[in-house]
Amino acid sequence: MSEKLLMRGNEALGEAALKAGCQLYFAYPITPQSELPEYLSRRMPEIDRVFLQAESEIAAINMVYGAAGAGVRVMTSSSSPGISLKQEGLSYIAGAQLPCVIVNMSRGGPGLGSIQPAQSDYFQATKGGGHGDYHLIVLAPASVQEIVDLTILAFDLADKYRNPVMIMGDGLLGQMMEPVSFPDRSDVVLPEKPWATTGYTGERPKNIIRSLELQPERLEAHNQKLQEKYADMIATQKRSDEYLTDDADIVLIAFGTVARICRSAIDMAREKGIKAGLFRPISLWPFPDESLAKLGDKERTFLTVEMSCGQMIEDVKLALECRRPVHFYGRVGGIVPSPEEVLDKIEQIVAGRCEA
Amino acid sequence: MQYEFIFAGFGGQGVLLMGQMLAHAAMDEGKKVSWIPSYGPEMRGGTANCTVIVSERDIGSPVVGSPSCVVAMNLPSLDKFEDVVKPGGVLVINSSLVTREPKREDVTVVKVPATDMANELGNVRVANMVALGAVIEATKVVAPDSLVAALKKNLPPHRQNLLPLNREAIDKGRSSV
């Protein structure tokens, strides 16, 4: 690992992408992720890689489609409204089974909304976004170091599954500076991509990349193949973290920035003698339902905290199969909840003043 | 032990840099740190602030409701953040620009004429380092040497000539406490 550097989330993500072997990055500026293209516009030419500011978000995602088809590691990034514009491209890329990394440093919506942090793109990221039966792997870091670690993992998983992987951050994570170190990856060998369209010379079968398949039987077979891939992701790619859950009477569920805030609220609750703990999904898709269900085996109360009007709570309830009460606390519009207000909600629930 | 700071002032007073230098210094002392700026539809000459946390253990929320120290580089910042300082905390005021007395009696008030002192040093732009000197003297969050080392490490090559001036500014701020 390198020495510790103090870096913004957006910049650390850019550096991590380079460490992961990202050769091409197509960007279009939008707050609060613009430090990422700014950083890479400076860094990529220094090491003979390609930074290109596209004419729009839609152009950028389609450039990603082309570059991924040619077999290179490629990334694009944006924030909520820009990610909406990329959804058609994402569906095509998923359909064509191409690896790439998409970053969403999300902000308040709907519409143009605000430029402040939000988590209200959860449904879009985990339930589709574009059309058709497809999934992204969605990873949600909660610190700048985790941004680095998950970005590198995202490129590896994208190649492993030939599938787009999304890093789901928020404005606060992108703007925050924390110490980070980078792994030494100078001897990492990237996987071969025999399927890539690198130019036909007669030495291998022709490689054709497309998402169009007009024959219903063949498209159904293709969908079944995709579903087998998603089943493997569900079996092997669920990730989560827990904090003081062993003896907890109330378990908070939160991801990203909000998980950090909940952690502070839990420490405050513990000082007041309330046994609170945290379950933090790291992969939002596949959702770590089995680990959460295990916590539901014991008689406990659950509280989902999100910067949305309540999106992840649906997956929480599905995981717990309605065996336990699940409360909700959310702030929206770009407002980040304070540890004090989360503590207040915990105290109200413990005192029996809240209906789940 | 955890310290939480809000540095606030006009855009251009270097309040984001104050926070970053403190974070660098604390990180190099082996502490856990986080720094977040206020970002939004800000305008030139408007207010800016950042939050810095320095802790011995992993930092939970990088957002703080009631910080242990507020640094108000101008009057609007005092108006905005005076009430949120943790009781028993520290309120550092740039008395060159803040024309009123603070209302809080349950916090330690440190008045430092940072802008005037910087002008005496010949460069108003080091007012932030004067104030930061006062902050580290009043809170002991990092050693002065660590702060100077952080500046040296992070000033771009063409600004290294400003190191002695900044060091003087930090010392002046410390001696005013």
Side-chain angles (χ1 to χ4, degrees), chain A residues 3-19:
Chain A
E3 60 160 341
K4 281 222 182 299
L5 303 167
L6 188 67
M7 285 181 92
R8 269 183 204 254
N10 282 330
E11 297 183 342
L13 197 154
E15 192 58 36
L18 299 180
K19 284 274 185 292

Side-chain angles (χ1 to χ4, degrees), chain A residues 31-281:
Chain A
T31 305
Q33 63 86 55
S34 292
E35 294 82 7
L36 176 50
E38 185 188 9
Y39 182 81
L40 286 178
S41 69
R42 186 175 71 245
R43 278 285 285 137
M44 294 185 87
E46 286 175 0
I47 52 172
D48 286 331
R49 302 200 192 171
V50 176
F51 167 89
L52 196 148
Q53 181 171 323
E55 66 269 38
S56 72
E57 288 87 347
I58 296 171
I61 191 70
N62 284 293
M63 290 173 186
V64 168
Y65 188 4
V72 294
R73 287 197 160 182
V74 58
M75 179 171 84
T76 186
S77 66
S78 193
S79 180
S80 307
I83 296 292
S84 291
L85 287 167
K86 292 183 194 290
Q87 294 302 326
E88 179 197 48
L90 277 175
S91 170
Y92 279 53
I93 292 169
Q97 297 203 78
L98 295 177
C100 64
V101 173
I102 302 104
V103 179
N104 183 3
M105 288 293 171
S106 57
R107 60 187 237 181
L112 268 180
S114 78
I115 61 174
Q116 303 292 337
Q119 296 181 323
S120 43
D121 300 351
Y122 180 92
F123 282 153
Q124 184 193 55
T126 62
K127 311 292 177 192
H131 58 280
D133 276 319
Y134 79 93
H135 284 287
L136 311 176
I137 293 175
V138 184
L139 302 173
S143 68
V144 179
Q145 183 64 55
E146 205 174 38
I147 286 178
V148 169
D149 300 341
L150 292 182
T151 298
I152 293 169
L153 176 69
F155 278 96
D156 290 342
L157 291 179
D159 277 353
K160 176 180 163 78
Y161 289 106
R162 292 180 59 185
N163 202 73
V165 178
M166 177 177 276
I167 299 289
M168 179 79 151
D170 62 60
L172 195 140
L173 274 173
Q175 300 292 324
M176 178 166 62
M177 287 178 106
E178 283 187 319
V180 279
S181 49
F182 294 89
D184 176 24
R185 288 177 49 94
S186 51
D187 56 352
V188 173
V189 180
L190 299 183
E192 295 280 326
K193 295 179 177 175
W195 46 263
T197 50
T198 50
Y200 180 62
T201 57
E203 287 164 10
R204 56 160 170 77
K206 280 184 179 169
N207 287 337
I208 298 169
I209 288 169
R210 61 177 175 191
S211 68
L212 178 71
E213 182 49 77
L214 291 174
Q215 269 198 21
E217 292 77 14
R218 282 167 67 167
L219 183 56
E220 185 177 56
H222 176 60
N223 265 283
Q224 281 161 352
K225 203 172 136 193
L226 291 179
Q227 290 302 317
E228 282 168 23
K229 201 165 77 172
Y230 301 142
D232 184 69
M233 293 174 190
I234 289 168
T236 61
Q237 301 302 331
K238 290 173 184 168
R239 290 177 164 81
S240 61
D241 189 24
E242 295 181 28
Y243 177 63
L244 303 177
T245 48
D246 279 353
D247 66 340
D249 297 323
I250 178 165
V251 171
L252 279 65
I253 303 115
F255 69 93
T257 290
V258 181
R260 298 276 296 264
I261 288 154
C262 287
R263 202 185 148 110
S264 290
I266 285 161
D267 287 342
M268 290 153 82
R270 291 252 165 193
E271 275 173 27
K272 292 187 164 196
I274 300 169
K275 286 181 183 163
L278 174 70
F279 181 81
R280 178 171 73 93

Side-chain angles (χ1 to χ4, degrees), chain A residues 297-316:
Chain A
D297 290 343
K298 227 178 112 180
E299 192 142 339
R300 291 180 157 118
T301 302
F302 291 82
L303 166 62
T304 305
V305 187
E306 302 176 53
M307 287 193 287
S308 79
C309 292
Q311 300 192 11
M312 183 178 67
I313 188 172
E314 293 192 2
D315 286 330
V316 171

